[in-house]
Structures are given as structure tokens and as C-alpha cells.
Amino acid sequence: MAGPAKIKDIAARAGVSPATVSRALSDTGLVAEPTLSRIREVAQSLNYRPNVSARNLRTQRSMAVLMVVRDVGNPFYLEIMKGVEATARAAGYSVLMGNTENNAEREVEYFDMLRDGHADGMILITGKLPWSVQESRQHLHGLPVVVALETIEGLGLPHVQIDNVGASRAAVEHLIDLGHERIAHISGPVPEVMSVKRRDGYRQAMSAAGLAIPDGYEPVGDYLLHSGETLCRALCERPDPPTAIFVANDEMAFGTINELRRLGLDVPGDVSVVGFDDLFLSQAFYPPLTTVRQPRAEIGQEAMRQLLRVLTGDLTEAETLEMPTALQVRGSTARAKPI
Amino acid sequence: MAGPAKIKDIAARAGVSPATVSRALSDTGLVAEPTLSRIREVAQSLNYRPNVSARNLRTQRSMAVLMVVRDVGNPFYLEIMKGVEATARAAGYSVLMGNTENNAEREVEYFDMLRDGHADGMILITGKLPWSVQESRQHLHGLPVVVALETIEGLGLPHVQIDNVGASRAAVEHLIDLGHERIAHISGPVPEVMSVKRRDGYRQAMSAAGLAIPDGYEPVGDYLLHSGETLCRALCERPDPPTAIFVANDEMAFGTINELRRLGLDVPGDVSVVGFDDLFLSQAFYPPLTTVRQPRAEIGQEAMRQLLRVLTGDLTEAETLEMPTALQVRGSTARAKPI
DNA sequence: CTGAAAGCGCTAACAA
DNA sequence: TTGTTAGCGCTTTCAG
């Protein structure tokens, strides 16, 4: 016998029809006992595996979902991926990773994969959709897509999110509680929704405490190490340098702290720094980073759960799940020095 | 029209047979010009996408490859993944990520995916195969599998590797050049091939310099942060604590440095530390980590290239590619203090 | 250069 | 409970 065994081979050896084999192997409960175990044995001995293409073609489903992120290279997404994968596996789905590199064409490609049968549904972790809205509506309406972490407005898609505004406000309040007044914010690439929300949280906290935000106290970064360094330097060269910085993600916070050190400033002695994300290395960093913890694995889990509900028709209207965050107070923040 | 357009729909609208449409759309050069562009236009306007299951079933290929790693959660694999993906895409393949979690069953599962048509080939980045050798031989012989970074011996599989022994030796020689004599090694989980090789490099360098390796100077870790901390502490509590430590990977090195700091020791003032991997955060770490850089993206690229050659039948016998490494000397190593 | 026809391997009506 | 039959959408001989 050349190549892998087919259902027909099993049928022949077991002396039954292909249909019976199919039924036996997929646990429909429609096959009687003497036959059932015989088929199973034969399948086992032939080392049988159903051909997925044939099955998918016939059933019109791929039993796969697509998880699309901006950049697979970012460790931040990994734990989410794990959460997604675990839940998907348990339901018999496999997970394909998609990587857009912030490239509109590639995003479209992944949407196309839904239509061409590559995947049955999609978990989107990218914030912007590049096409004109009407086109989007056409494509998106009724598509099995769940948005995680980011926000895509006006399309009625289910979301799994965190309270970016509240979490940021809490982070900044922590700095205010420590007596800081000149608090700057290194933001993500506004006007992306997530970055705007984190900046809003910062502004709310400042305003509630009656603190002013000087011009230029909200430089815009790109969530990468290097921009943390550059923007921190600019901030420190001002006549009114901050005594604390709330940075929109951990990676930029690492850059910020490094730059402060290079400038001869002590963290947290001279300047306090708070990040956002709680990467697994953040507590191994020196000083251990005070940062906002997101329940990443749970976010992935919930996103996949939602998607399963969409896929089974249980979930018809868009629902937004909000997952809790927690400020991890560690060594990068301290009381403001008395003036 | 319900559902996505099929080849038949295009054929109908263009007034040709399905066969011609198929030929036109797959650029076989067998379709004449008036027809060709008409078909393309119709396909475009119908927003046609070929159904992958049908195509795969017919062609007996999935145009997908599987990249299997121990732990997707490890950022170390990400850049490799990127290299693999870029090369795969260019050749029209997509990449599926597999995650074994060091679980034998799951490894088998991924091998099965080759047989059931999920993927056409596989890039394996796990060091051990759990099954009895004869079984392995049956399964593996002639399978389109390329091993990257790790080593699987005796099965005649193509490999893409680095010189773990040489790189480790060079790392330790760097410490010796700095005047260190009491140099310890925190190893990976021996007897895994990679861990053994790195330890061998350490031993070779020590022996070549005529330096002794006291009992207990080679504690065995698991490549995770925490074991770096624990093992470092044990090392420092000895009557003859090391003045330098060569750690088998960066993650454990981070743990090591943190623990040293906790013990009130300065890095590199009191103890020098060298890692292995050069994670993207290693230069952002404090102090910036001296470590062995591996060309990760290139490793992924080459592994995929090899796999493509296997897939096209260009590569028939096992070939082992060795990629260069480079010691990145940064701030975590310094001259030994005079005694 | 184009069309007709067969079939990839599987599952799901419909019959028996 | 099992078998018969048809067909998922595509590509590829084989004819013309």
C-alpha cells in the first residue's frame, strides 16, 4: 500500500462500507458494538488519520481559527496566544498565527483566509482596519471575528478588553500618591484607540489632582525600546524635567530607565517610572518595574471562548467583556524628594 | 448568490468551462489573451478566492509548513519564526506554529499533521524524540523534516545549527582573558544535546587554561529565570564562590544577576556574568548583558530554505548547516579583581 | 488553445 | 444498524 491509509482501506479490511467506518470513527454512536471495535482496531493497525482536506471540503469547515497580531516578534502576545490555544485545542480547533507587521495588505490577506476556508474564525489583535468603512462593512458583517485588547469601533464585533483608561489613571494616581507633581507621559502612537485611552487615563488623573500638564509633557512613541530612550532624553533636557514618568508600555519603559541611568539619574531615587503590560522580564529588570498587569492568558482564553460561541451560533450580538487589571508596585517608583 | 463564488460561477459568467478558469487563474500560460483577461476580470469582480480544501484535496499538498517549538511563550523563538515565515511566504507557503510544551504526546500529534495533510513539511526545534527508535525510523524516514538549533541524531535529518561548543568556549575564554579563575557554569538541562555541548565548551576552555572545575561548579538549570536565581545563590554560598559565571542562556543569566544584586554583590564589579542567546532585552538589561549572539532570523531562513529544497526534491541527503555566532561584549563582564 | 469528464477522500442524505 | 449514492470545489488527464 502506497501512501497513508484511506477510509476505503479500512472498510475493505473490516468488511464494512466506508460510511460505517466514517461513522464509527467520528463517534456518532450509530455503529453497533461488534463492528465498532473491529473498525477501531483496523484503523489503529493501519495507523489511519483522516485526510483533513477531504474532511474540510466535505464539511465546509476547517476547525481552525486565526489569531492575527501586529507583530509575532512581540513577546507580549505570546501568553495571549497560549490562552487562545489551550481553549481552542479543548474544543478541537487548531490555531494559526497571523502576522500583519502593521501592513494593510497583509491584514486583508488574513481576512481572505476566512473566505477561502483556511480558518473558520478569527481573533483580531490589531487596532485599525485600513479599508474604507463601507468595504469593511461588507466584509465584516456577520463574520466570525472577535477583537481582543484593541478596539474596532462601529462594526458590532465582540470585544475582549481591559479598562485602559482606568488602569492608566490608577497608575498615575500611584505616582501622585507618592507626592509627584511633575509627571510626564510617554504615549503610544496616538491616535490609535489604545494609546489614546492610556493617555486619557493619565490626563484624568492629573486633572483630578489639579496638576498641570505642560506643553511637551506627552511625547508620542511607537511602543519600541528605542523611542523610550529618545523621548526620555528630550523630557530630561527640559528646564522643568519630570520627577516621574508614566510610560504606555513596558518596552518603552525599559528604554526610559536605561536612558535615565545613562544621564546619571537614579531610578527611583531621582525619577520614578511606571510601565504598562507586565512583561515576564519586568520583574527581572533592574530596578523591578512598577507596571500595570494584564491577565493575558485569560484574555486569550475569553476571546477564544467568545469566538466559539459565535461559531456555534450561541452569540449573536456583540458583547464586550472587560478583564481586570492590577497595578504591580515594584522598585521603579518611590516617594518624590521634598523640594 | 449565497456564499463565496466558485469556479463554476466564473465559468458561467465568462462563458467558458471551469477547466479554463482554473488554468487561467493559475497562470499556466495555456489560456489565450482575450479569454484570459476576461476571466481575470470576472474573478476579480466576484471577489473570488479558490477554496483551499478543494485545492489541497486535489493536489495532495497543503502549501503549509509546521514550525514546532518547545514553548511558544519563549521570545527566543520569535525571530526564528520570522525568518521562517518570510522565506515561506515568498515561496507561497504559510506557517503553522506548533507548541509541544515538552509533551511527548503533542510532539506525536504534530508529526501526525504531516500525514493527515495539514502540512507538507516541518521545522523541528525540539531536541528529543520520545518514541522508541524503531518507531521513529518508520515514521521519520524520508519525512520532510528539518531540525533547527537542536540536534536529533541518527535519523539522517538535515540540520541548521550553531557551534554550541565553540561559542561557549569563546565566551569562557573571554572571562579567562579578563583574569578570572574561579569560573562557574550554570548549565541547561543535561543530558540534552544542546546543554551538554555548551557545558563541553566551558570545560574545554577551562581545561585549556589549566583551570580546575571544583565539584558543584556546574549546577544544572532548566533555562528559566528562577533556576538562575536559585543556582546562583547556592554558588555564592560556597566557601569558594566564583568571580565569574557562564550561564547557558540569557533568561537564567537575568536571574543570576538579580540574585547577585540581592546578595549585595556588584555586577560586574564583584562577579562577571556571561549569557547565551542575546535576547532583544539583553542590551536593555542592567547591566547590559555580555552574551553570545545567535543569528536567529537567518537560522529560520536557512531552515526554511532547506525544507523547500527537501519539498522540491532538490535535497536528498542530510546536510548540516552551521551558522556563525558572535560574542557580544557588554557591561556584565569586567577584569577580575586582583587578589 | 479549450472542453468534457473523472476523481482527490470524506460525510450525509436517503434507503434498506 | 448498515449500505448506497451523491457531491463538496478544484485540477488534470485526455480529446478535440
Side-chain angles (χ1 to χ4, degrees), chain B:
Chain B
M1 186 180 31
K6 300 172 287 184
I7 233 175
K8 219 198 287 183
D9 303 322
I10 301 178
R13 292 225 194 177
V16 293
S17 76
T20 305
V21 175
S22 171
R23 285 189 279 249
L25 262 29
S26 47
D27 280 323
T28 50
L30 297 175
V31 180
E33 198 21 86
T35 331
L36 186 58
S37 26
R38 185 155 38 94
I39 292 177
R40 285 194 180 141
E41 275 171 37
V42 177
Q44 179 89 39
S45 76
L46 255 42
N47 220 310
Y48 173 75
R49 288 228 99 202
N51 177 302
V52 288
S53 301
R55 167 179 287 170
N56 292 350
L57 176 58
R58 181 62 231 233
T59 59
Q60 307 281 41
R61 312 189 304 162
S62 63
M63 294 306 280
V65 299
L66 205 50
M67 169 171 157
V68 178
V69 302
R70 295 163 187 278
D71 173 20
V72 258
N74 189 331
F76 179 76
Y77 295 116
L78 293 179
E79 257 188 82
I80 298 179
M81 164 89 173
K82 278 191 169 180
V84 170
E85 225 219 355
T87 311
R89 284 184 79 73
Y93 282 82
S94 52
V95 181
L96 315 182
M97 260 292 242
N99 189 18
T100 68
E101 318 248 4
N102 276 323
N103 174 337
E105 266 181 65
R106 296 191 57 173
E107 287 199 355
V108 178
E109 241 173 80
Y110 288 115
F111 271 90
D112 284 342
M113 289 178 69
L114 289 187
R115 292 193 302 137
D116 69 23
H118 251 116
D120 299 333
M122 170 155 125
I123 292 174
L124 244 195
I125 318 190
T126 59
K128 56 175 181 22
L129 294 185
W131 330 295
S132 62
V133 180
Q134 69 273 22
E135 200 182 2
S136 310
R137 281 192 193 285
Q138 270 184 19
H139 284 307
L140 287 173
H141 186 69
L143 270 195
V145 174
V146 172
V147 182
L149 279 179
E150 307 264 356
T151 307
I152 295 180
E153 288 168 321
L155 290 168
L157 296 172
H159 282 76
V160 177
Q161 300 186 296
I162 58 162
D163 177 9
N164 279 291
V165 178
S168 300
R169 199 176 46 223
V172 176
E173 278 164 1
H174 165 64
L175 292 170
I176 294 171
D177 288 346
L178 289 172
H180 291 279
E181 301 191 338
R182 293 211 309 275
I183 305 172
H185 173 50
I186 295 181
S187 87
V190 289
E192 283 184 20
V193 178
M194 198 171 73
S195 305
V196 169
K197 284 187 175 169
R198 292 185 185 175
R199 194 182 60 185
D200 281 351
Y202 160 74
R203 288 179 178 177
Q204 284 183 18
M206 293 297 276
S207 147
L211 296 174
I213 301 177
D215 249 20
Y217 247 45
E218 294 176 322
V220 174
D222 59 6
Y223 287 136
L224 300 180
L225 203 64
H226 185 65
S227 80
E229 298 175 346
T230 321
L231 300 175
C232 170
R233 168 172 289 264
L235 241 19
C236 292
E237 281 169 351
R238 296 169 58 103
D240 56 343
T243 66
I245 308 179
F246 168 53
V247 189
N249 79 338
D250 280 5
E251 191 173 332
M252 288 196 296
F254 295 153
T256 300
I257 291 178
N258 277 330
E259 189 64 28
L260 289 167
R261 196 146 38 209
R262 229 168 273 140
L263 294 169
L265 295 166
D266 182 61
V267 178
D270 298 312
V271 182
S272 286
V273 175
V274 178
F276 202 115
D277 280 351
D278 199 17
L279 295 188
F280 90 108
L281 282 180
S282 298
Q283 52 182 315
F285 200 77
Y286 184 76
L289 191 66
T290 295
T291 186
V292 176
R293 173 148 188 60
Q294 308 190 44
R296 289 196 286 279
E298 289 79 3
I299 289 171
Q301 198 179 91
E302 285 305 328
M304 187 63 213
R305 248 184 225 158
Q306 293 246 44
L307 185 53
L308 286 173
R309 293 208 292 145
V310 173
L311 255 19
T312 56
D314 275 12
L315 184 65
T316 50
E317 28 187 308
E319 201 173 276
T320 292
L321 230 66
E322 193 160 279
M323 309 293 290
T325 59
L327 184 69
Q328 303 289 314
V329 177
R330 294 201 272 249
S332 66
T333 47
R335 286 232 134 259
K337 286 193 255 189
I339 308 183

